[in-house]
Amino acid sequence: MDAHSQQGAPHEHSRSKEKDKPALGELQPYSDPYLILDIPRAATSEQIKDAYFGQVRAHPPEREPDAFKQIRAAYDRLRTPERRVETDMLLLQEVDLATELTAPAFDLDVHREDLLSMARAFSDLERTDFREHFRKV
Amino acid sequence: MSKHKHFSHHARRSSKQDASFQESLSQRGRNAFHAGRLGEAIEHWERAAKKHPEILPALAEAYFRRSLNHPTAAPDQPLHDLLRATELVPNDAIYYYHLALAHHRRGELDAALIAYAIGAGLPTPPRGLAFAMALAQLETDPNVEPSALNRLAENERALINTLAPLLRGDTAFARQSPTANSWLQSLVAKFSGADQMATLWRGLAHLLAGDTAAAQSALEPAQGLVPRAQALRHYYLGVLAARRGDWSAARVDWEQARARGLDTAWLRANLAAAHLPSAQAAVQAENWRGAVEHARAALRAQADHPTAAQVAVLALHQLANAAAHKGHWREAMDLIREANEIYAKAHKTDSTTRALLQNLAIASEQSEQWEQAAQSWRDLIRTKPRSKKAKDTFTDAQWDWMRRRAILDLQRAGQLAPVITLLKQKVKAEPKDIATRLELVEVLMANQKETAAGNELQRILEIDPQYAAARLKLAEWHVHRHEWHAAEQQMHLLLEQDPSNTTVRGRMANLMHQRGRSLHTDGRVAAAREVLEQAVTFAPDDVEIYIDLGRADLDLRRRDAARADFEQAYRIGGKKLATHEQIVRCWIIDRQHDEVEKAMARAETDLPPPLDPLFYVHTGLACFPPTAPNPFGPARAKRVDDEWEDLGQAWIERAVALKPDDDELLHHIVGDCLDMQLPVGAVYAERLTQRTPDDPLAWITWGFLRAMSGQVNEGKENLKHGARLARQQGLSEMEQMANDLRRELDTPVVSLASSLGLPLGALFGQPEEEEFEDADPEPFWTPPRRRRR
């Protein structure tokens, strides 16, 4: 951190925060702590802990500080039941739709309504001009 | 003039006036009628008709003509007008004929047939009545020969005779040669386009008979068809293409049919389905944008097509996920919203609805669209099953969280008041809807309408005294008002209902813990101890309660009991540094040197070495008394004691010795001292200046602490030096800050704070909350370098 960014007055802090803030709708990318820890969403707290330590062993902080930071942040989001409720509620959900979609169903019959509608074309049902039916007033 | 004469004169005059008025109404009606203002004419003539029955035919005609001109937005009005016309002139076949046509167009065949029959029975029925009536009869039942058949012209009879077997599925007509149809000859003479129509029908007859090749050649010619027939021709050409499996040709023909005004349910469904093979191929290729485009086209044909909706939602969901992973939340939100709208039109509420709503809420929050986010959470809450026994994927804690989140988002959107109004209306409509009442409570609480919220909770419990969530909320409501006893009563009632409910037991423990602490702070230590002892029965593994119990026992001079309490705390939290630190601090407050030493030794034995230097800093600082007694708060140390100060100093030094080159640690010590230990802070701030003599910030910090510890002039000199260094290094803002501090040190209020040893934040206010959301409250001034905690 350079000396300029160490200035302490709260309003300064606020201004610099504002400046760094991304545009609306372009905020931080989505991350799923379960994916980072490589565990199912229904994992127990023991499984979460085990997965965390496993990931830390695989990505030790001294060798992979960025990966460790991610792992640590993911673990923090799942560590307590309260945090986990919030984390779970803020996870994007999969939609329960089959990727094997059903074949489209077509109705390829001849409809009596269509036959009738052609006959109607010869009747007064589809006429709009009935001036010859007008009475003199 | 006698009275009698006066009245008769008056009556004569009034009768004359009335006649003239009626005359005027008739005339005005006539004028309006001829100007085409039929509504106005009807209005005048209806008023004049009582005294002028000769107007009735004109009035009926006005109704009749108006019935032909009504906008489609008022579909019932033509019927009303025609019924009135038939009432006014009941022997006119024209009016009955049009009444029948109106019913017929609406598909009200029974009513149409009655009106046709009446019209047919009146003198001079209009030409066309018998044919329309025969059609209505055929539409009602194609197996019955129309009674109107004998009144039809030859060409009309021929047409009906062809249509009737077709409607019955008899396709013999298809096999006849065109010239064999006598009706066709007369049709051609009578109606233009009738020959083409016959060909079209023949094509359909082939189709009915299953001869697609013949159907195709019969349907190909396009000339001379009326628009409706042309549209139908395209539709059935599309059917033939679809039967061949040529979806794109089918799609083109069906689009043509739609463009020509055909809008049948089967056309919409088929057109939607014709887009699906391409959409599904795109899904298989994971070409989500292509899939969305095809699915959207299908949905334009039929908005509630379930398979099209399924494809669209799947593809939109994938695109939204990809956008979210890139941080493009606004795009993700729009995609999910579209998916949600599509799915809602085509499917009932299910797990997909929930997933989409949840995703929409998340994306809306990330896009700071608070109102949309709140709405999505609320929509999701509405999917909660009414029956408590129904299995559900969300837990009670999650439902609670959603409710709170919706309200939080509404607060962010500044929209709580309208929500209260809406919920109140809903409650009024459904007084026994407890879930809505509970939602209302949450919103009232969030909007600081506490009394109203309390009343609402009471009402919920009157409706259902066993409703645990409401009773829990009522307990929280009492806590909010510091009505501890009432809160505990509610918790006891809950525990009577369900003694093993861990949530309630945890909340009860928390509640009693808070009350115990509050009593202790007020100096009612014995009462505090009693409450804490009860609290621990509800949460036997809560370290904090045991430590507070120990503190109370120490204040009651029950050291053995305190030791037992601390043993329990060690048993539960002995592996945590915080537990050891708190217990050491308790013994420091009690000024039990031996116990402090023992507790320190135990920490060093029980915890893996080396201990965090901050442990020594915190316990060391606890040994010091505050700079001066704080007149507005409880005493933090009993008396100034050199022996304790030496011990504290030794521990802080031990911390420094553990990390001798760590400037951050020195900053941390200085930061911790800013609250109440200004002289100690000054010592370590001075050491910082020695270690980094060119750091203006170190000088500013030292100067400030010295000045606040009473060495005002020396402190100002340090600030001046810090300002000079900052200027030399081009740090103009830091220079400005040093100069500002120097000026503020001269103000009487700072002098007073310094002499009383007040926490400076109390005088100058805390920094804005959002600046330090996760930090402890800061004093008036904090060195800008980040603190390590």
Side-chain angles (χ1 to χ4, degrees):
Chain A
M1 188 187 283
D2 66 24
H4 280 286
S5 62
Q6 291 175 9
Q7 311 307 305
H11 63 276
E12 287 298 326
H13 177 71
S14 155
R15 226 182 292 145
S16 73
K17 229 166 93 172
E18 195 60 39
K19 199 177 149 196
D20 296 340
K21 201 173 164 184
L24 268 188
E26 301 293 322
L27 306 180
Q28 67 269 41
Y30 172 73
S31 77
D32 180 342
Y34 292 97
L35 281 182
I36 293 170
L37 296 178
D38 195 19
I39 44 173
R41 288 190 179 180
T44 63
S45 48
E46 274 308 308
Q47 287 169 322
I48 293 171
K49 205 189 280 178
D50 290 347
Y52 168 64
F53 287 121
Q55 292 285 344
V56 171
R57 274 194 295 278
H59 307 277
E62 58 281 7
R63 269 193 282 139
E64 296 175 58
D66 288 341
F68 172 74
K69 234 184 254 175
Q70 268 197 332
I71 293 161
R72 178 73 207 179
Y75 179 56
D76 278 344
R77 288 170 69 188
L78 302 174
R79 222 158 75 164
T80 66
E82 293 78 14
R83 286 281 284 144
R84 195 171 172 191
V85 166
E86 173 146 332
T87 301
D88 285 352
M89 290 310 298
L90 293 176
L91 283 180
L92 289 176
Q93 302 297 305
E94 280 308 315
V95 292
D96 187 17
L97 291 173
T99 43
E100 289 294 322
L101 297 159
T102 48
F106 288 93
D107 174 353
L108 302 178
D109 291 337
V110 176
H111 283 264
R112 65 191 290 270
E113 289 84 350
D114 288 342
L115 295 168
L116 279 166
S117 86
M118 283 193 280
R120 281 173 165 218
F122 292 100
S123 75
D124 284 340
L125 285 160
E126 303 207 347
R127 258 176 81 190
T128 50
D129 185 355
F130 287 98
R131 270 176 295 186
E132 84 268 18
H133 287 176
F134 287 1
R135 305 275 188 241
K136 201 173 173 192
V137 173
Chain B
M1 194 187 287
S2 70
K3 262 188 186 175
H4 173 74
K5 273 187 177 171
H6 173 79
F7 284 131
S8 104
H9 174 73
H10 185 75
R12 265 200 311 278
R13 202 173 62 187
S14 159
S15 159
K16 263 187 189 170
Q17 280 175 344
D18 190 41
S20 145
F21 177 66
Q22 295 290 333
E23 190 61 35
S24 146
L25 277 178
S26 299
Q27 187 55 47
R28 276 192 269 168
R30 202 167 297 121
N31 292 343
F33 181 88
H34 288 298
R37 301 193 304 274
L38 297 171
E40 195 183 322
I42 288 168
E43 203 177 305
H44 291 312
W45 282 342
E46 280 284 7
R47 291 170 72 190
K50 283 177 196 156
K51 297 206 172 168
H52 294 275
E54 70 278 9
I55 294 175
L56 293 179
L59 180 56
E61 185 64 16
Y63 274 113
F64 164 57
R65 291 194 191 182
R66 192 172 74 169
S67 77
L68 301 175
N69 290 311
H70 274 298
T72 46
D76 292 340
Q77 203 57 45
L79 272 184
H80 293 149
D81 282 353
L82 289 163
L83 277 168
R84 181 72 180 134
T86 56
E87 271 170 27
L88 293 165
V89 181
N91 57 355
D92 192 324
I94 293 278
Y95 298 155
Y96 277 104
Y97 177 45
H98 280 275
L99 180 61
L101 289 174
H103 280 300
H104 196 161
R105 287 186 194 108
R106 289 160 61 97
E108 295 160 1
L109 295 176
D110 290 345
L113 283 169
I114 293 168
Y116 281 132
I118 297 172
L122 290 169
T124 59
R127 204 181 64 191
L129 186 148
F131 182 61
M133 186 174 171
L135 274 179
Q137 287 172 330
L138 267 188
E139 286 179 46
T140 310
D141 185 355
N143 294 310
V144 175
E145 183 166 304
S147 63
L149 215 54
N150 54 358
R151 287 198 288 268
L152 294 179
E154 190 192 341
N155 58 340
E156 291 171 336
R157 196 178 313 128
L159 197 153
I160 293 291
N161 280 336
T162 308
L163 181 60
L166 268 180
L167 290 175
R168 291 195 293 267
D170 176 357
T171 58
F173 160 68
R175 291 184 294 277
Q176 293 172 10
S177 96
T179 50
N181 296 117
S182 59
W183 67 272
L184 179 60
Q185 310 306 324
S186 42
L187 263 186
V188 172
K190 189 136 183 105
F191 303 114
S192 90
D195 49 345
Q196 292 296 334
M197 183 72 81
T199 314
L200 182 55
W201 264 343
R202 186 168 297 104
L204 297 189
H206 283 303
L207 199 55
L208 273 169
D211 186 347
T212 49
Q216 184 78 35
S217 63
L219 290 173
E220 281 296 352
Q223 269 75 46
L225 285 175
V226 293
R228 164 60 59 93
Q230 189 68 275
L232 282 166
R233 189 182 77 86
H234 276 294
Y235 175 73
Y236 283 101
L237 280 172
V239 167
L240 285 166
R243 286 192 181 186
R244 294 194 302 272
D246 185 350
W247 310 117
S248 60
R251 215 159 60 202
V252 170
D253 270 313
W254 287 335
E255 290 284 10
Q256 291 273 0
R258 199 162 68 144
R260 284 172 166 76
L262 192 66
D263 188 31
T264 55
W266 40 96
L267 167 61
R268 289 196 297 270
N270 283 343
L271 188 50
H275 283 282
L276 289 178
S278 313
Q280 289 175 337
V283 168
Q284 294 305 327
E286 298 193 1
N287 168 13
W288 303 116
R289 290 215 178 271
V292 165
E293 287 315 311
H294 287 298
R296 277 180 184 148
L299 292 164
R300 274 196 294 278
Q302 188 189 339
D304 60 352
H305 194 286
T307 315
Q310 195 180 352
V311 175
V313 170
L314 185 64
L316 287 165
H317 170 73
Q318 296 293 342
L319 290 174
N321 259 353
H325 278 90
K326 286 184 207 149
H328 301 164
W329 285 103
R330 179 62 77 99
E331 185 192 344
M333 181 185 79
D334 290 340
L335 291 164
I336 303 168
R337 187 165 43 206
E338 187 184 349
N340 185 43
E341 283 166 7
I342 289 171
Y343 197 77
K345 278 183 197 153
H347 295 268
K348 284 182 184 166
T349 300
D350 59 12
S351 60
T352 302
T353 316
R354 280 183 167 188
L356 290 171
L357 285 171
Q358 193 172 344
N359 292 353
L360 182 55
I362 294 165
S364 305
E365 282 195 1
Q366 291 287 347
S367 310
E368 300 188 7
Q369 300 296 305
W370 307 119
E371 215 170 326
Q372 166 80 71
Q375 188 57 46
S376 307
W377 290 124
R378 293 181 70 211
D379 289 343
L380 185 53
I381 290 165
R382 285 195 197 99
T383 66
K384 185 176 181 185
R386 285 181 172 242
S387 159
K388 285 177 193 168
K389 286 176 188 166
K391 266 196 171 178
D392 195 26
T393 46
F394 287 122
T395 63
D396 284 347
Q398 287 174 318
W399 287 118
D400 267 358
W401 185 93
M402 277 183 251
R403 267 193 280 274
R404 277 183 274 117
R405 194 69 169 196
I407 291 163
L408 176 67
D409 287 342
L410 284 170
Q411 275 176 313
R412 288 158 161 173
Q415 289 291 328
L416 280 182
V419 175
I420 291 175
T421 312
L422 279 174
L423 288 173
K424 279 185 175 169
Q425 284 168 355
K426 207 173 158 203
V427 162
K428 203 172 172 186
E430 290 175 63
K432 297 215 165 162
D433 183 351
I434 291 180
T436 305
R437 282 184 184 273
L438 204 58
E439 200 182 344
L440 177 58
V441 169
E442 299 271 9
V443 183
L444 287 168
M445 291 282 274
N447 213 19
Q448 292 166 343
K449 309 261 184 210
E450 284 177 28
T451 313
N455 292 339
E456 200 55 56
L457 282 168
Q458 296 289 4
R459 263 176 239 128
I460 293 172
L461 290 169
E462 278 164 23
I463 297 167
D464 182 0
Q466 306 294 313
Y467 198 83
R471 201 167 289 287
L472 202 57
K473 188 63 63 189
L474 185 59
E476 280 173 15
W477 182 81
H478 283 301
V479 170
H480 195 66
R481 297 160 67 93
H482 300 283
E483 295 167 357
W484 309 107
H485 186 64
E488 281 172 26
Q489 271 184 331
Q490 296 301 328
M491 299 299 260
H492 278 301
L493 285 172
L494 274 170
L495 285 170
E496 275 172 27
Q497 263 172 246
D498 184 3
S500 59
N501 186 322
T502 48
T503 309
V504 178
R505 293 185 75 81
R507 298 249 179 117
M508 184 69 158
N510 193 23
L511 179 59
M512 298 188 109
H513 191 185
Q514 280 186 58
R515 186 153 75 91
R517 279 187 165 178
S518 168
L519 286 166
H520 198 163
T521 308
D522 292 345
R524 296 171 61 193
V525 186
R529 198 201 176 284
E530 205 173 300
V531 174
L532 289 168
E533 203 163 24
Q534 286 178 49
V536 94
T537 61
F538 292 104
D541 288 331
D542 190 323
V543 180
E544 300 282 332
I545 303 178
Y546 280 113
I547 291 173
D548 283 350
L549 204 50
R551 277 197 63 178
D553 277 327
L554 287 181
D555 283 354
L556 291 168
R557 300 270 175 266
R558 293 163 42 131
R559 294 207 173 91
D560 286 342
R563 272 186 211 101
D565 299 329
F566 293 147
E567 273 311 316
Q568 291 290 353
Y570 282 129
R571 177 183 60 80
I572 303 157
K575 296 282 175 211
K576 289 184 180 166
L577 191 66
T579 308
H580 288 273
E581 186 182 313
Q582 286 186 75
I583 293 172
V584 172
R585 288 165 79 120
C586 288
W587 287 118
I588 291 171
I589 291 167
D590 199 41
R591 289 300 192 247
Q592 293 301 306
H593 204 287
D594 291 348
E595 296 292 348
V596 170
E597 291 287 358
K598 271 192 227 163
M600 286 299 276
R602 185 159 183 177
E604 284 163 346
T605 316
D606 288 0
L607 297 168
L611 292 189
D612 187 336
L614 292 182
F615 170 69
Y616 295 109
V617 172
H618 296 153
T619 48
L621 284 173
C623 294
F624 287 88
T627 304
N630 179 354
F632 304 123
R636 289 178 50 158
K638 290 174 182 170
R639 61 189 177 85
V640 177
D641 188 329
D642 288 346
E643 182 194 356
W644 285 97
E645 285 190 9
D646 291 345
L647 184 62
Q649 190 77 51
W651 284 343
I652 298 173
E653 283 303 318
R654 194 184 297 181
V656 175
L658 278 170
K659 289 203 170 174
D661 300 323
D662 190 349
D663 293 349
E664 282 294 310
L665 181 64
L666 287 182
H667 276 292
H668 188 102
I669 297 169
V670 171
D672 274 3
C673 291
L674 277 171
D675 196 3
M676 296 292 276
Q677 314 295 352
L678 303 174
V680 184
V683 171
Y684 290 93
E686 182 181 10
R687 208 176 283 182
L688 262 177
T689 61
Q690 289 160 1
R691 196 175 289 174
T692 53
D694 294 332
D695 181 358
L697 193 62
W699 285 92
I700 294 168
T701 310
W702 185 31
F704 173 78
L705 285 166
R706 283 183 95 179
M708 296 309 294
S709 311
Q711 297 176 307
V712 179
N713 290 334
E714 293 85 342
K716 280 183 175 177
E717 277 305 310
N718 294 146
L719 284 167
K720 209 168 164 184
H721 184 67
R724 194 162 48 238
L725 284 173
R727 189 170 60 251
Q728 285 165 2
Q729 293 170 29
L731 306 174
S732 56
E733 287 183 31
M734 195 178 282
E735 180 194 354
Q736 179 71 39
M737 181 178 68
N739 290 331
D740 287 349
L741 274 173
R742 203 147 53 90
R743 269 194 299 279
E744 280 174 24
L745 288 173
D746 286 333
T747 58
V749 77
V750 177
S751 309
L752 178 70
S754 169
S755 63
L756 289 176
L758 284 179
L760 296 170
L763 283 178
F764 291 89
Q766 305 295 345
E768 282 175 38
E769 234 175 73
E770 61 176 27
E771 303 293 330
F772 296 97
E773 270 169 8
D774 298 317
D776 293 338
E778 298 285 332
F780 147 63
W781 182 76
T782 310
R785 195 159 289 177
R786 197 178 293 158
R787 287 171 61 178
R788 194 154 68 172
R789 185 180 305 174

